[in-house]
Amino acid sequence: MNIDFFTPIEESVVAHAILQSSSVLGKKVQLHTVQNGFPDLAGISIAILGVKDDRGAVDNHGCGKDLHEIRKHLYQLFPGNWHVPIADLGNIERGSTLEDTYFAVKSSVEFLLKKNILPIIIGGGQDITYANYRAYDNLEQTVNLVTVDSRFDLGSLEEELTSKSYVSRIVMEEPNNLFNFSNIGYQTYFNSQEEIELLDKLYFDAYRLGEVKDITLVEPIMRDADIVSIDLGSIRQSEAPANKNASPNGFYGEEICAIARYAGISDKVTSFGIYEYNNKYDSNGQTASLIAQMIWYFIEGVNSRAKDYPFVTKENYQKFTVLLSDDDPINFYKSDKSGRWWMEINLISNNKHKRHALIPCNYRDYEQALQQKTPERWYKALQKLV
């Protein structure tokens, strides 16, 4: 890793952490400071990094600045019963061009992934998700992207790459590593009917805000994710005002924290980002505090991983076979360890998408199959696999 991409965290963060109890998170994390230098990554499992570039953010100039406010709130929290070592690498500054920033993010995340270190990215426009996705180019695997956002951010390939068009680049550009894209919490009036229909034609998944008010429905979606990207615009303005594109409607604070925890619990998630924080619109540090708690819940989730997926042996799973009316059986598996459910697609050929043939689901999907209804999640995955 090129540590020259990173600048140390602000001294005010270090000074603030020193004043706290000896048990706070700020005294448990290896910090990149002027005095201590870049942290030793040997044995580290989670790495926090800030990205201070707002040039790709649409109508939210200033996001990516003042990331020290998030860190101040994060490092005064007390950790849970955690066993996962954490390092804060500091910030990736604005490059000479936005493409330089993307390169710095891509190469840094790629290095961390190869070291089995899970990056948590904070700050900057959500277009940074594109650089995060490109970090998987050399890993020789297809990936699933989940965004928590009120908008799809599809745009078009002809548009400049921004926080409102980055998804179309991910979907269409070569090399194409994307297997599935899922959006959680979209609001219909922010998205055209053409975009909604396009996602359906591509067999991607989109869940309206009202659909996922039962937050437990988010768990199987997150369980199948490799990359999770959260736009603060998905949270209602009264809960997180530090975003110029904030809206009156969205997730509540406790809901977004639950979503972050589900992302952390997922054995498959290998990178996590929170974007569009703009401190000049914050009120009494409210949004910085909420982001800190979202990160806390994500780390709490990582520490609670059951490590029961993907499984090599099926001995610790109950198998249920449901025969649909067209004589096409669906195998369901329930983990004895966590109680979580999966559906299986039987692939005739050992193709490159084999890792996606086991689909996270819930008990409702099993009940639906018993009623001779093909679970939508299973059907969409099948269309992309065959």
Side-chain angles (χ1 to χ4, degrees):
M1 174 188 283
N2 188 347
I3 63 174
D4 292 336
F5 290 147
F6 294 89
T7 56
I9 64 175
E10 288 82 348
E11 287 299 307
S12 61
V13 176
V14 180
H16 188 260
I18 289 173
L19 297 174
Q20 308 301 315
S21 162
S22 60
S23 302
V24 297
L25 188 57
K27 296 186 179 178
K28 308 292 183 182
V29 175
Q30 292 190 39
L31 304 177
H32 179 190
T33 65
V34 173
Q35 184 176 0
N36 296 331
F38 197 81
D40 181 2
L41 296 181
I44 294 298
S45 297
I46 295 175
I48 298 169
L49 59 144
V51 182
K52 302 181 74 172
D53 201 327
D54 64 351
R55 286 173 289 186
V58 176
D59 294 332
N60 197 23
H61 180 72
C63 68
K65 295 180 180 178
D66 302 316
L67 300 181
H68 60 278
E69 296 294 339
I70 297 172
R71 287 182 166 105
K72 280 182 181 178
H73 286 277
L74 176 63
Y75 293 143
Q76 70 183 14
L77 301 178
F78 291 92
N81 186 22
W82 296 349
H83 53 83
V84 173
I86 306 167
D88 189 331
L89 309 186
N91 299 314
I92 294 177
E93 298 288 333
R94 288 166 56 111
S96 297
T97 65
L98 185 52
E99 287 69 28
D100 290 338
T101 302
Y102 291 155
F103 176 79
V105 173
K106 173 188 178 295
S107 57
S108 299
V109 171
E110 181 180 342
F111 176 88
L112 294 171
L113 293 174
K114 288 180 177 178
K115 292 287 186 182
N116 291 318
I117 299 173
L118 195 162
I120 297 176
I121 304 170
I122 55 174
Q126 200 180 18
D127 56 298
I128 302 298
T129 306
Y130 171 80
N132 183 7
Y133 165 76
R134 281 288 161 226
Y136 290 76
D137 284 352
N138 297 321
L139 300 186
E140 298 180 350
Q141 69 176 53
T142 52
V143 298
N144 293 336
L145 168 65
V146 172
T147 65
V148 183
D149 201 338
S150 60
R151 297 170 168 86
F152 297 142
D153 297 332
L154 279 171
S156 68
L157 274 176
E158 292 72 32
E159 291 181 45
E160 183 182 0
L161 175 57
T162 69
S163 61
K164 293 291 185 284
S165 65
Y166 72 94
V167 172
S168 65
R169 297 294 186 98
I170 289 175
V171 172
M172 301 300 295
E173 270 192 3
E174 296 290 341
N176 193 321
N177 313 315
L178 185 70
F179 178 76
N180 192 42
F181 167 70
S182 300
N183 168 278
I184 296 173
Y186 82 91
Q187 298 175 37
T188 307
Y189 38 73
F190 288 143
N191 302 277
S192 70
Q193 287 301 306
E194 290 78 13
E195 289 178 321
I196 296 171
E197 290 168 7
L198 176 61
L199 287 185
D200 191 52
K201 287 178 182 177
L202 292 171
Y203 301 110
F204 290 153
D205 302 312
Y207 302 88
R208 288 181 62 182
L209 178 64
E211 288 182 80
V212 288
K213 278 297 180 178
D214 178 357
I215 293 295
T216 60
L217 298 178
V218 172
E219 189 277 324
I221 306 167
M222 286 299 186
R223 205 187 329 151
D224 207 28
D226 296 284
I227 304 168
V228 176
S229 172
I230 299 180
D231 186 329
L232 286 184
S234 65
I235 309 168
R236 58 179 58 209
Q237 188 173 28
S238 59
E239 307 280 292
N243 176 3
K244 196 177 178 210
N245 296 312
S247 166
N249 287 313
F251 291 109
Y252 285 100
E254 66 271 21
E255 293 172 335
I256 200 68
C257 285
I259 289 171
R261 186 175 183 274
Y262 282 138
I265 287 175
S266 168
D267 293 315
K268 205 174 175 188
V269 168
T270 48
S271 57
F272 178 77
I274 302 172
Y275 303 99
E276 302 288 336
Y277 168 71
N278 196 331
N279 182 54
K280 69 182 178 182
Y281 298 106
D282 210 355
S283 173
N284 198 30
Q286 179 177 329
T287 312
S289 181
L290 178 57
I291 294 172
Q293 292 175 24
M294 290 164 63
I295 295 171
W296 189 97
Y297 274 102
F298 177 77
I299 299 173
E300 170 80 1
V302 173
N303 279 272
S304 302
R305 287 185 174 184
K307 295 182 172 58
D308 60 358
Y309 174 76
F311 53 71
V312 178
T313 174
K314 298 177 182 177
E315 293 176 1
N316 298 321
Y317 298 80
Q318 298 177 58
K319 181 179 178 180
F320 303 85
T321 300
V322 179
L323 192 64
L324 298 181
S325 55
D326 56 0
D327 295 330
D328 189 11
I330 300 180
N331 292 326
F332 289 83
Y333 295 92
K334 181 182 179 183
S335 169
D336 293 337
K337 190 174 183 180
S338 67
R340 299 188 295 189
W341 288 76
W342 286 267
M343 302 178 282
E344 184 177 44
I345 294 177
N346 294 316
L347 293 179
I348 298 174
S349 60
N350 187 9
N351 67 27
K352 68 176 182 178
H353 297 313
K354 188 174 181 180
R355 70 189 289 263
H356 300 286
L358 203 61
I359 310 157
C361 66
N362 53 30
Y363 182 66
R364 293 185 191 183
D365 292 304
Y366 173 64
E367 286 186 312
Q368 190 175 13
L370 290 176
Q371 297 168 8
Q372 297 296 296
K373 298 176 183 177
T374 302
E376 185 177 7
R377 208 190 313 265
W378 186 89
Y379 174 76
K380 286 185 175 181
L382 178 65
Q383 301 310 308
K384 293 195 282 285
L385 284 167
V386 296

